[in-house]
Amino acid sequence: MSLNQTPSANRLHIGIFGKVNSGKSTLINAFTGQDVSIVSDIAGTTTDVVTKAMEIAPLGPCVLIDTAGFDDTTMLGEARKEKTRLAAEKCDIAVLLFAETSINVTAEDDLSYEKEWYSYFVKNKIPVLAVVNKTDLSGENIYAENIHAENSQVNNNLIEEIKKITKEEPVIINAKSGMGIDSLKEALVRKTPEDFETGFITGNLIKEDDVVMLVMPQDAQAPKGRLILPQVQTIRELLDRKCVVMSVTPDKMSQALEQLKNPPKLIITDSQVFKAVFELKPEESMLTSFSVLFAAYKGDLLYYIEGAKAIDRLTETSKVLIAECCTHAPLSEDIGRVKIPNMLRKRFGKGLFVDVVSGTDFPKDLREYDLIIQCGGCMFNRRYVLSRVNRAKEQAVPMTNYGVTIAHMTGILDDISYS
C-alpha cells in the first residue's frame, strides 16, 4: 500500500448483498468502472467475498464488498453465507439489491431472504439502502421519481413491496448499462453515518501548538525499518493538528525530557511499557497509550474500562479470550499471546486458561469466557470492532482491551488520560 493511501480500516465499507445472480458483481463493476468481480450468467459465480479499496467521488476512500448470494443452496452454501455474515459485520452501509426480473412479488415468500437481511441490518444499526436492478431496461426510464408512471418499465408491485419492508423509496439502476449509478452514489452519501470516522485518535487531549512526546519501544515486536500502523496514524494526526511532536525510545525518555523547556502536554506510549514511562513522566504531563487511544477511536472505551474490573474476579480456573485483529506470525515477545497471558497467570495461577483468536475468527458464543481482551483494533474498521463489543454486551461477557488491561494490572488506570 502506498504511504499516501488511506488505510482500509479508515475507509467507508459498503457491502453489496442480494440473491444469487441478482447483479451484485455487475453493480460493483459499474460502480468502480473496473472489472473487480467476475460476471457470468451462471448462478453463484461469486463464491467468496471480494473487496476493492478505491477513491470514489463523492464518497471518498471506500472499500466495496461483493458477497455471495444469500440464497445459495449449493454444497458450500452455508459456508459462503457465513462469509457473507462476517462481511456484513464490517459494513458501514449495506446495499440490499433486488433483481426485478427474477422476483415474482405475487408470492410473499419470494422476498423472505431480503426481509431477513433487512431486519439484520436494522437490528445491528447498519444503514441499509434498497436498490432495484432493472436488467432489461435501455436506461431511459429508470429514475426513482418516475417509478409510478403508467409507462414505467419497473415492476411497481416490487417497488410497493420494498417500500413496505424499508419504509423508503428504493433506488432504481441498470447495472449492465451503468444508468442510475450516480443517483446510487448520491443516495449512499445520504446514508453515510454522521459519526463515520469524524473523531480524532487523540480526541480532545491536545490542541494546536501542544508538545506531544511519543515513547515507542523498538523491540522484537516492532517491524524492522518501519513503525506500526497505530503509531504512523497517530503521528500523522498530530502533525495535521499542528502539534510539536517528539519521538523517542524508552531508554532515551529522560534525556529527551531534559531537552524540553517545559514538560510535554501529552505522552503517548506502548502499553507494555506503561509502568516504566509513568514513573518517568513529569507530574504535569498526561499519559496514555496507542492501544487506549484506539480503544476509544475504534471501540467502546467506557465498556472496556468497566470490563477491566472483571480481571480482579479471575481465578486459576477462569477462561479468558484474547482477540487479535492482526493475523501476523506470533513473536517471542508478543503482547497478546505471551505478555498478557503471562501477567494473568503470574497473578492468578498457571491453570488459568487462555484462548487466542486472530483476524475475523471471533466466536459466536462467548458465554464460556469470564473475560475478553481485545487488541486496539487498528486493522479493522470501527463498525466491525463494535460488532464484537455488542456481541459481548448481548451475552453479558466482560470485555476490555490490551492497553486498559495492562494499565489496570499495573495499578495506573486511574492516572491514564483518554478523553
Side-chain angles (χ1 to χ4, degrees):
M1 182 184 75
S2 166
L3 291 175
N4 293 321
Q5 288 184 327
T6 302
S8 176
N10 289 2
R11 292 173 177 265
L12 182 71
H13 284 54
I14 303 171
I16 314 296
F17 301 86
K19 290 179 179 175
V20 170
N21 247 28
S22 59
K24 298 183 299 297
S25 297
T26 305
L27 172 56
I28 287 274
N29 292 345
F31 199 85
T32 62
Q34 301 178 16
D35 291 333
V36 173
S37 298
I38 298 174
V39 175
S40 170
D41 291 332
I42 301 174
T45 300
T46 302
T47 58
D48 291 309
V49 172
V50 177
T51 62
K52 174 65 176 179
M54 64 185 304
E55 299 276 336
I56 300 175
L59 293 161
C62 300
V63 172
L64 298 178
I65 307 173
D66 188 7
T67 63
F70 46 52
D71 59 335
D72 190 332
T73 57
T74 64
M75 186 180 300
L76 295 176
E78 287 304 316
R80 291 168 181 164
K81 281 186 272 189
E82 176 63 17
K83 291 289 187 182
T84 297
R85 185 191 64 78
L86 285 173
E89 291 182 346
K90 299 178 183 178
C91 287
D92 297 300
I93 308 175
V95 172
L96 189 56
L97 190 62
F98 296 76
E100 195 262 356
T101 56
S102 65
I103 298 175
N104 175 11
V105 295
T106 58
E108 186 175 348
D109 288 344
D110 284 344
L111 296 179
S112 59
Y113 284 107
E114 287 83 355
K115 290 178 180 177
E116 178 183 341
W117 276 89
Y118 181 80
S119 297
Y120 169 86
F121 294 131
V122 171
K123 177 184 176 183
N124 290 278
K125 300 180 180 179
I126 301 172
V128 55
L129 180 65
V131 176
V132 175
N133 182 25
K134 180 64 178 175
T135 58
D136 61 349
L137 288 176
S138 63
E140 295 178 356
N141 295 310
I142 62 172
Y143 299 102
E145 58 265 29
N146 293 330
I147 59 176
H148 293 300
E150 289 184 2
N151 62 351
S152 172
Q153 299 181 59
V154 179
N155 187 323
N156 284 332
N157 291 333
L158 174 60
I159 300 301
E160 292 304 317
E161 289 298 319
I162 293 173
K163 288 168 63 177
K164 288 179 184 178
I165 297 170
T166 67
K167 308 299 187 293
E168 292 181 346
E169 205 77 75
V171 176
I172 314 300
I173 67 165
N174 184 335
K176 285 187 177 181
S177 72
M179 294 300 295
I181 297 300
D182 287 343
S183 297
L184 172 58
K185 291 178 181 178
E186 292 170 3
L188 288 170
V189 170
R190 294 192 292 271
K191 283 287 184 179
T192 300
E194 291 183 2
D195 62 347
F196 173 72
E197 303 293 358
T198 55
F200 291 113
I201 296 170
T202 48
N204 298 316
L205 296 176
I206 54 94
K207 61 182 184 303
E208 185 173 340
D209 297 327
D210 282 341
V211 177
V212 181
M213 177 178 287
L214 307 179
V215 184
M216 302 178 289
Q218 300 302 296
D219 56 14
Q221 286 195 88
K224 187 176 181 180
R226 60 186 178 89
L227 300 175
I228 61 175
L229 184 60
Q231 295 169 349
V232 173
Q233 290 183 269
T234 302
I235 291 172
R236 175 56 193 263
E237 179 179 294
L238 292 171
L239 295 175
D240 287 343
R241 297 183 73 178
K242 306 299 182 182
C243 292
V244 179
V245 184
M246 174 179 283
S247 300
V248 298
T249 52
D251 58 312
K252 296 296 182 181
M253 179 178 170
S254 294
Q255 183 178 338
L257 288 170
E258 292 174 359
Q259 304 300 313
L260 294 175
K261 180 180 178 181
N262 298 308
K265 172 72 175 297
L266 175 67
I267 298 174
I268 307 173
T269 189
D270 192 294
S271 299
Q272 61 184 315
V273 292
F274 247 155
K275 188 69 173 178
V277 173
F278 177 74
E279 292 173 351
L280 292 175
K281 86 172 187 70
E283 185 176 347
E284 306 96 311
S285 300
M286 296 184 293
L287 174 65
T288 191
S289 77
F290 295 101
S291 182
V292 170
L293 291 177
F294 272 78
Y297 185 57
K298 294 287 187 179
D300 187 336
L301 181 58
L302 294 181
Y303 188 67
Y304 293 157
I305 292 173
E306 183 65 26
K309 297 177 182 178
I311 295 174
D312 299 327
R313 300 193 293 269
L314 296 177
T315 67
E316 191 171 11
T317 60
S318 296
K319 192 169 185 179
V320 175
L321 175 67
I322 303 286
E324 296 182 335
C325 289
C326 298
T327 55
H328 62 266
L331 301 169
S332 59
E333 300 178 42
D334 194 275
I335 187 170
R337 296 171 181 266
V338 178
K339 291 188 175 181
I340 290 178
N342 286 347
M343 291 175 69
L344 293 171
R345 289 179 176 129
K346 183 177 180 180
R347 177 176 295 189
F348 301 108
K350 295 182 179 179
L352 183 139
F353 186 86
V354 177
D355 257 347
V356 179
V357 295
S358 60
T360 56
D361 294 334
F362 193 70
K364 288 183 179 179
D365 190 347
L366 302 168
R367 290 169 294 182
E368 64 178 301
Y369 298 105
D370 299 290
L371 177 66
I372 303 165
I373 305 177
Q374 164 74 42
C375 71
C378 66
M379 297 303 295
F380 286 136
N381 65 331
R382 189 166 190 265
R383 171 69 67 179
Y384 179 69
V385 176
L386 286 176
S387 74
R388 290 184 170 190
V389 172
N390 291 335
R391 190 178 304 176
K393 288 181 177 180
E394 289 171 359
Q395 298 180 36
V397 180
M399 187 177 194
T400 186
N401 95 318
Y402 287 7
V404 176
T405 294
I406 294 175
H408 179 84
M409 295 191 71
T410 54
I412 63 171
L413 182 56
D414 291 339
D415 299 301
I416 300 303
S417 300
Y418 49 83
S419 64

